[in-house]
Amino acid sequence: MSTFVVVGGDAAGMSAASKAKRDDPDLDVVVFERGQWVSYGACGLPYYVKGEIQSLEDLVSVTPEEFREERDIDLRIGHDVTEIDPDGRTVTAQGDDGEVEQEYDHLLVATGAEAVTPPIEGLDREGVYTLGSMSDGKDLREYVARARDEGNLQQPDRGLACQFLETCTGPVGIVGGGYIGIEMAEALAANGFEVHLFQRGDRVLTQFSRATSEAVLDHLETQDVAVYLDSEVRELAGDGSVEAVVTPDDRVPVEMVLVGTGVRPRTALAEAAGIELGETGAIATDAYRETTVQDVYAAGDCAEAEHVVTGAPAYVPLALTANRHGRAVGQTVTGSPTEGGGVAGTAAVKAFDVEAARTGVLPEEARRAGFDPLTDTIEAKSRAGYYPEGGTVQVTLTVDRPTGRVLGGSLVSEYGEGAVHRSHALVGAVTEGVTVDELANYDLAYAPPFNTTWDPVLTAAKVVDGQR
C-alpha cells in the first residue's frame, strides 16, 4: 500500500490529506501535527478575543476525531517532526509515546509560518503576546477576561472604543499596523481598552494603496485609537511585567503589548533535509507544488507561489492559497497531476466600521516588475443616490500605461458598502490579464440597493483609461 505523509495539520495539510483519501480510499494517509489543534481558522482569532466568537472550538472546521473516524486519516497530534530523510524516504517524529519513524512514498511539508520576532528589548516580559496560534488566542482572551474581573475596564456605550481616551483604563500597546494589528485594535477597543498602535513606517496597511491606508487611519482615529507613525519600538520596558512601550520619541505606559509585525515561513525542517528555498525565503516549488526533492511537496504558509501579474515567485501566506494548494497536492499524489494555481495577493481587512480590500500589484511593485504604472483614485456612491441608505466606495486602480493591462487595485468603504465584494471583479481582471477598457465594459450587476448604474469599479476604469 502506498503511503502519503503530511507534516502539519492545518489548512494545506488537512486539505491535502482529505482530498487524497477521497480520491484514493486505499491510500495510507498519515498526518503529524505538533500541536493539539488541526484544521482551524486562525483568521478568526481576533474575533474570538473580541468576544464575537464564544469558543475556540467554533474556529475548528473538522475535529481530530472526525478526521480519524469519518475520513480514515491517521492523524497524530502532539507529534513534532524532527527530521526528513529524502534518501531513506522517512520522517522522524517525537511524541508523548517517544520517537516514531514513518516511511513515505509522497510527502507534503505544510509547516506553516511563525510570528516575526523584531529586534525589540523586552519581548520576553510578562504581558507581551503574539497571535499566531490557537493557544495565543486563548491566552489573549484570558487576559481580557482577567482585566474585566479585576474591574480595570470601563465598558464604552457603543461597544467600541471609549469616546474619550482619558475616561478609559487598561492602556495596551500594539506593535505593527498590518492585518493583525488593525483587527486587534478593534478587538481590544471593543473591550474598553485604551489602544496605542505603533507603526515603524509612515502609514498603516502598507500592502494597500496609500489612499486606502489613509482612509483606514482616519477611521482609527475617530475610534480613539492612538496611532504612532514612523515610530520604531526600541523597548518594552518594565520590571518583570511590561509597563511601557519605548520609541525614540515616546514612552507610553501600557499594561499589555501585542506584537503583530508579520510572519515568516517555517522552513528549518525543509532546509535541514536539503530542500531548496526560493528567492522569497519560503520553500521553492514548481507549478504542482513539488519541491527540489522528488516526491516531496510544499504548500501553505511555508511555501512560495507564482504571482499572476509579475510571473515571479511571491510569498502570500493566506488561507485560500493554503487550501487550494493543499487540495491540488492531494490530487497530484493520487495520480491526477494538478497545478495549485498562481496568487494575486488578494486580501481584505475590517477596521471597526470600514472594510478594505486589495489585489494584484500596486505602483511600487509594478515598477520593480518592469511595468510603467498609471494609477488614480476615485470615490463614488455605493448605492443609487435616491436610495435611502448607502455610503461611498473609494477605488484606487493601477494599470500598465503602454498596454492598458489591469495590474491591481485597492478599495475601501464603510463596512457593508461593498469594497470587499467589489474587489472580486478586479481579481478576475488581474488574473486574466484584462485591459482597463475591457474592465470598463464589464457587465456588473445593478440594482439601487446594491450599487449605482455605473459601479465604482467601472467608474475607476473609465477614469484611468481616459488618462492613457
Side-chain angles (χ1 to χ4, degrees), residues 122-392:
L123 286 174
D124 58 346
R125 297 194 189 281
E126 185 179 349
V128 178
Y129 296 84
T130 58
L131 189 60
S133 68
M134 295 285 267
S135 59
D136 290 342
K138 181 175 182 289
D139 291 342
L140 277 164
R141 177 76 170 251
E142 289 175 351
Y143 173 84
V144 171
R146 286 197 304 272
R148 286 182 181 278
D149 292 343
E150 293 166 4
N152 291 336
L153 301 179
Q154 299 176 10
Q155 293 307 303
D157 293 338
R158 294 177 293 136
L160 293 170
C162 298
Q163 187 172 5
F164 301 101
L165 287 180
E166 60 267 23
T167 69
C168 298
T169 55
V172 298
I174 297 175
V175 182
Y179 300 107
I180 291 295
I182 297 299
E183 291 168 348
M184 284 303 298
E186 175 183 337
L188 293 169
N191 282 281
F193 290 94
E194 175 186 321
V195 179
H196 300 263
L197 189 150
F198 300 84
Q199 171 70 352
R200 65 182 298 181
D202 64 352
R203 61 190 179 101
V204 297
L205 294 176
T206 55
Q207 305 93 332
F208 293 68
S209 72
R210 184 169 292 276
T212 298
S213 299
E214 290 174 353
V216 172
L217 174 62
D218 290 345
H219 185 66
L220 290 175
E221 292 174 341
T222 69
Q223 301 298 317
D224 298 310
V225 175
V227 181
Y228 304 75
L229 297 178
D230 292 316
S231 294
E232 184 171 359
V233 175
R234 299 285 179 82
E235 180 185 3
L236 304 179
D239 184 11
S241 299
V242 65
E243 298 174 3
V245 176
V246 180
T247 72
D249 301 317
D250 295 286
R251 182 186 176 92
V252 181
V254 296
E255 296 177 1
M256 182 271 277
V257 171
L258 170 71
V259 179
T261 51
V263 299
R264 62 185 169 209
R266 194 177 281 121
T267 61
L269 183 66
E271 286 185 89
I275 298 169
E276 293 183 11
L277 304 187
E279 60 187 68
T280 69
I283 300 172
T285 72
D286 64 13
Y288 297 94
R289 321 314 309 155
E290 189 171 19
T291 70
T292 53
V293 174
Q294 186 178 7
D295 295 326
V296 177
Y297 301 80
D301 292 357
C302 64
E304 62 184 23
E306 181 179 302
H307 199 289
V308 296
V309 175
T310 66
Y315 179 59
V316 184
L318 294 173
L320 178 58
T321 303
N323 278 278
R324 278 196 298 120
H325 289 176
R327 189 175 190 276
V329 171
Q331 292 175 266
T332 296
V333 300
T334 53
S336 300
T338 304
E339 295 189 10
V343 295
T346 307
V349 66
K350 178 179 179 292
F352 294 91
D353 298 324
V354 303
E355 60 181 72
R358 57 96 62 220
T359 192
V361 295
L362 301 180
E364 296 84 356
E365 187 178 357
R367 287 191 191 91
R368 290 195 297 270
F371 294 103
D372 178 11
L374 168 64
T375 189
D376 201 359
T377 300
I378 66 98
E379 189 169 287
K381 290 184 178 296
S382 61
R383 312 185 193 202
Y386 53 78
Y387 194 78
E389 300 175 9
T392 58

Side-chain angles (χ1 to χ4, degrees), residues 39-111:
S39 192
Y40 61 88
C43 298
L45 287 172
Y47 307 103
Y48 168 70
V49 176
K50 182 180 178 181
E52 290 181 330
I53 297 169
Q54 296 305 312
S55 169
L56 273 178
E57 284 72 18
D58 292 339
L59 299 177
V60 176
S61 299
V62 184
T63 67
E65 292 73 24
E66 289 170 328
F67 278 118
R68 296 186 186 112
E69 296 170 9
E70 298 177 13
R71 304 191 182 186
D72 194 25
I73 293 172
D74 183 0
L75 171 60
R76 307 179 192 181
I77 60 176
H79 281 73
D80 186 15
V81 174
T82 57
E83 182 183 3
I84 298 170
D85 178 4
D87 295 328
R89 300 175 81 86
T90 64
V91 299
T92 302
Q94 186 70 41
D96 292 338
D97 53 351
E99 190 173 87
V100 178
E101 186 175 271
Q102 173 67 52
E103 295 182 348
Y104 69 81
D105 294 286
H106 293 93
L107 172 68
L108 170 62
V109 179
T111 45

